[in-house]
Amino acid sequence: MYRIYDCLATQHDIVLVLVAIAIGLGGIHTAFNLYARACMGRLQQRFAWLFLTGVVTGGGIWATHFIAMLAYDPVLPVGYEPVLTATSLVIAIGATMFGFSIASVAGPHLLLSRLVGGLVVGLGISAMHFTGMMAMSVPGVISWHMDIVIAAILMGAVFGMISLWLAGPARTPKQKLLGKVNLTIAVATMHFSAMGALIVTPDPTVPVPAQLISQQYLAIGVAIVAALLIAIGFVTALVDRQMRAHINNRMHILGDSAIEALVLTQNGRIIDVNESFLRLTGTKQHDVIDQDFLARWLPETPLAFQQGNLNYVETSLRLENQKELPVEVIRREIPADDIADDTTIFGLRDLRERYAAEKHIRFLAEHDSLTKLLNRTTFNDRLSEALQESDETGVPTTVMCVDFDHFKELNDSFGHIAGDHALRELGERLGKLISDELTIARVGGDEFVVLLHHQNRTNPNSIKTHTQEVAQKILDCIALPIFINQENRAKLSASIGVAHYPQDGADAESILFHADLAMYRVKQSGGNDVVFYSSEMDEEYRFKRQLASNLRVALENEQLELYYQPQCHADDKEIQSFEALLRWKDAELGQVPPGRFIPIAEETGLIIPLGEWVLRTACFEAAGWDKPLGIGVNLSAVQLQKHELPEVVAAILEESGLDPKRLELEVTETALIHNPARSMKILSDIKKLGVRIAMDDFGTGYSSLATLQNFPVDRIKIDQSFVTKLVGNAQAGAIVRAVINLSRDLALDVIAEGVETDEQANFLTDHDCRAVQGYMFGHPRPISDYAHIVHPQTPAPETAPEPAKSGKKPANRHSGIETV
């Protein structure tokens, strides 16, 4: 070590040593810039850049060596043999070019290729050095300390290997700096260590060839070669860098303008990203460069995508703290060109908004938009799954149909906005009851369905108890008052029908149908209750369906008929008018009471054509009477809600030619309160035609006094329920007297229904009720039995059917069509 130091300190010109090091640094600096460029692009371009790298690196090292040789003073005159000097330059260029070429090879043995390439460069430096030393000629004998020679060669080889290992592809400033520093150390340590091993023994007898290159000429030549090579390499690298920077800048602008995140990789490692990727991941560019992109950011991608056999995938982007972000990734391979090596570009798009939109769309498709509960389609799917599970486990499944009582009245009273508000609030309440065993859905209007899983319950009593408990929770939930406005709160109730699978049905359709039947049974009983399905309900439904079908056929085939009941003057029993009453005798079922088929007609909508047929038939019949008696026709609640009713009445009067004053339309208080405003408008329009309006069943409905005040009524009919109790019931008598007095004070006509005895007739006559109707004065009969009344010239029948000794008028309170 001392010998090396002594040689450097005493036998070298320090200025020239520093110049040599500076030239070496310049050449090596330019060389690594060229090497970085040689590591990318197409194969033919790589060869060109590697050749230039070898020329600049070898020439720079050769120049460094010979300038350092010029700095060495052996005390003897020195000359240089031209062929060996040129050979040393060729060795330097060839070795460095070959070494850098090996190091630039990418593949599975990347580290090995860099180490081998560095070894070749290190050994090439040694070969160039000793070849150059062989070119030196002095009048003396040259010998070596072989231990120092070996150490010098080893140091050059080791630092050469370290240089290309740390430099890698020389893409980052850090990689380039490490490569330059270690290669400079390799050149310097190898050269000056080897010079320390040199021993020159003067010997005048040693001949010196005449064709030697003097130190002056060598200095000029070395300076020219070094300057040209370094300048060529520097200018070439500078031009290429500027061109690449321009292209990269344009690509960066283009990439940063993209909404999608873009990542460029080579050999799986990131070489560039755009701003969208940095924003998406919350990172800085220097943090992600040279990372293994798929392993670090997309570890869950399938193998086919990683190998390039699949170009699209939806996966998760791994962020910091193990957070994951849903993304879609597109992979595109970019072949090598004159500028860059084979590159893979990944385009990433954040899927959070799309997933949220898809989730919202699925929610809208599966849920009711008003209540946020499940809709009919989704419920049916859940029901099918539940029935399949029930088949597998043997545990029954329960379905409930829930319908709010009098919900239409809430809409009519406060408007549909209030109704929607009520449904929203009820939906929110019911939604809080939903659990793993309870599913609730809205299937339309104010109709809801419930699916109840009994889990491990198999005992029938336990299942029934569980069902009743759940149903009661639903009833209690619905019964809470609902805020409508500052002045009003609505309190609803519900009717719940229950059916069990498989006990009450073999499939989803039958279970729902039977639960619906049970719910309608609750409705018919007044609501606010729970009813379990039974087979009798199905029989009743089938009977109603048959009845509705037969009634439709009877209407189409004119198999219906009207009976007429007299309405008489109380004093002389003279008939003043008739009330038309519908009768139906079915070929299969026999005589069907109106109280049986009228409600079914209202449920099925047949009441509209049926009521029009009754009105038309009665008007045409009355128009043909010789005696202009009045004719009374009942209107149902459904008819009274049809805006076109006044036009229908007017058309029938015109077609039949009946004087409007002879027609009296009877309506019930119950029919009027469904929609008071609409009823008022319709009755007012009918009244303008000259038709009389009678209030039927007065006293049995709602707010009778308000009804008389607000509606255009001409006559009041005292309900038979009061007339029947006249004898022996002081309260009934008081009510009848009050109604008669009220009618007189309001200048309204009054008629009592259901008069059957002399005591009843006498009471009414004594209290100034001048019109009566009942079995005492005549039964409902075909008009032919009253032909002598309506056609006075027709003789009276010799015999007439005996009037019933007693009988009550079974009026149908659900319909305006009389059911006597």
Side-chain angles (χ1 to χ4, degrees), residues 215-237:
Q215 286 189 327
Q216 291 78 13
Y217 288 119
L218 181 62
I220 295 172
V222 168
I224 293 173
V225 170
L228 286 175
L229 293 179
I230 294 175
I232 291 172
F234 180 79
V235 170
T236 303

Side-chain angles (χ1 to χ4, degrees), residues 10-31:
T10 61
Q11 293 183 278
H12 283 77
D13 185 340
I14 298 301
V15 175
L16 288 177
V17 169
L18 294 176
V19 171
I21 293 175
I23 291 176
L25 285 174
I28 292 172
H29 169 76
T30 304

Side-chain angles (χ1 to χ4, degrees), residues 256-546:
D256 290 339
S257 300
I259 298 176
E260 292 81 5
L262 300 177
V263 178
L264 271 72
T265 66
Q266 284 184 347
N267 300 318
R269 311 195 76 83
I270 298 175
I271 61 173
D272 202 359
V273 296
N274 69 345
E275 286 295 327
S276 295
F277 180 81
L278 298 177
R279 287 194 300 268
L280 186 65
T281 58
T283 56
K284 300 294 184 181
Q285 188 161 13
H286 60 79
D287 295 329
V288 300
I289 296 300
D290 205 37
Q291 288 185 349
D292 187 323
F293 175 62
L294 293 177
R296 166 63 183 84
W297 297 100
L298 301 173
E300 298 180 3
T301 52
L303 183 61
F305 184 83
Q306 297 180 18
Q307 294 176 345
N309 298 324
L310 186 65
N311 293 325
Y312 176 85
V313 69
E314 291 187 12
T315 184
S316 296
L317 183 68
R318 181 71 56 82
L319 303 178
E320 298 295 333
N321 302 322
Q322 300 301 310
K323 292 183 179 179
E324 294 186 347
L325 188 70
V327 292
E328 61 177 351
V329 188
I330 299 176
R331 175 184 182 133
R332 291 289 183 270
E333 305 291 341
I334 303 177
D337 56 17
D338 296 342
I339 303 299
D341 203 348
D342 290 336
T343 305
T344 303
I345 182 169
F346 295 91
L348 297 87
R349 180 177 295 171
D350 187 351
L351 293 181
R352 285 177 294 184
E353 290 187 7
R354 197 187 86 181
Y355 281 3
E358 290 176 352
K359 182 179 179 181
H360 183 61
I361 291 172
R362 283 195 302 271
F363 182 87
L364 294 178
E366 296 175 355
H367 292 76
D368 171 59
S369 60
L370 185 62
T371 62
K372 309 307 179 187
L373 298 174
L374 296 179
N375 58 22
R376 182 189 298 272
T377 302
T378 310
F379 179 83
N380 289 339
D381 294 339
R382 299 281 179 89
L383 178 57
S384 298
E385 295 172 1
L387 299 189
Q388 183 177 356
E389 181 182 348
S390 182
D391 290 336
E392 296 172 355
T393 62
V395 178
T397 298
T398 298
V399 172
M400 305 182 196
C401 285
V402 182
D403 191 88
F404 300 141
D405 301 327
H406 311 299
F407 188 77
K408 185 177 183 301
E409 296 172 14
L410 185 147
N411 273 333
D412 293 342
S413 301
F414 300 105
H416 288 281
I417 295 178
D420 288 347
H421 168 72
L423 287 173
R424 274 193 296 270
E425 183 167 336
L426 289 170
E428 184 176 348
R429 293 180 189 175
L430 293 173
K432 294 178 181 178
L433 300 179
I434 294 175
S435 63
D436 292 340
E437 66 176 15
L438 188 65
T439 302
I440 303 177
R442 180 189 179 212
V443 294
D446 59 334
E447 300 176 17
F448 293 74
V449 286
V450 178
L451 176 62
L452 178 60
H453 299 269
H454 294 286
Q455 295 179 346
N456 297 324
R457 299 177 181 87
T458 56
N459 183 276
N461 293 330
S462 173
I463 290 173
K464 184 175 182 179
T465 301
H466 183 222
T467 303
Q468 288 174 328
E469 291 174 353
V470 172
Q472 189 59 49
K473 287 181 181 179
I474 295 174
L475 290 177
D476 294 342
C477 178
I478 295 171
L480 296 175
I482 298 172
F483 175 86
I484 301 298
N485 51 45
Q486 293 295 337
E487 294 78 22
N488 296 285
R489 302 289 189 277
K491 189 171 183 180
L492 296 174
S493 61
S495 299
I496 301 180
V498 181
H500 299 297
Y501 175 86
Q503 173 185 337
D504 297 329
D507 51 37
E509 184 178 359
S510 60
I511 288 295
L512 283 170
F513 176 68
H514 291 157
D516 201 50
L517 279 183
M519 183 268 291
Y520 274 107
R521 175 61 64 87
V522 185
K523 285 283 188 185
Q524 293 170 357
S525 303
N528 194 29
D529 200 358
V530 180
V531 169
F532 288 76
Y533 167 78
S534 64
S535 58
E536 291 80 6
M537 297 179 189
D538 209 11
E539 295 173 3
E540 182 181 356
Y541 170 77
R542 286 196 295 269
F543 175 75
K544 286 184 176 181
R545 187 168 57 183
Q546 180 186 4

Side-chain angles (χ1 to χ4, degrees), residues 664-739:
E664 183 176 77
L665 297 180
E666 298 182 10
V667 296
T668 63
E669 291 178 277
T670 304
L672 295 175
I673 67 165
H674 284 304
N675 193 328
R678 182 184 298 177
S679 300
M680 169 71 79
K681 175 67 168 59
I682 291 173
L683 290 180
S684 296
D685 291 343
I686 292 175
K687 188 83 165 109
K688 292 175 183 178
L689 299 174
V691 177
R692 289 168 54 83
I693 305 296
M695 177 68 69
D696 196 11
D697 300 340
F698 183 77
T700 62
Y702 307 91
S703 60
S704 302
L705 297 180
T707 304
L708 292 178
Q709 180 181 5
N710 296 328
F711 289 90
V713 177
D714 297 293
R715 182 156 72 164
I716 296 175
K717 299 188 74 174
I718 301 175
D719 187 68
Q720 64 174 348
S721 61
F722 299 117
V723 174
T724 303
K725 299 176 183 177
L726 276 178
V727 180
N729 190 315
Q731 290 181 339
I735 292 174
V736 171
R737 285 195 302 270
V739 172

Side-chain angles (χ1 to χ4, degrees), residues 742-814:
L742 179 63
S743 301
R744 183 174 55 249
D745 293 341
L746 295 176
L748 299 176
D749 294 336
V750 64
I751 183 172
E753 297 182 293
V755 181
E756 299 179 359
T757 66
D758 290 334
E759 291 84 353
Q760 295 169 354
N762 292 334
F763 181 94
L764 294 168
T765 304
D766 292 344
H767 291 87
D768 203 24
C769 179
R770 299 304 173 193
V772 290
Q773 175 182 352
Y775 289 168
M776 179 178 177
F777 303 98
H779 282 251
R781 302 182 185 196
I783 195 61
S784 58
D785 290 353
Y786 295 106
H788 62 289
I789 303 296
V790 297
H791 302 291
Q793 70 278 13
T794 304
E798 294 182 2
T799 60
E802 290 281 338
K805 294 181 180 179
S806 65
K808 297 183 180 180
K809 181 181 178 182
N812 173 28
R813 301 303 179 191
H814 301 286

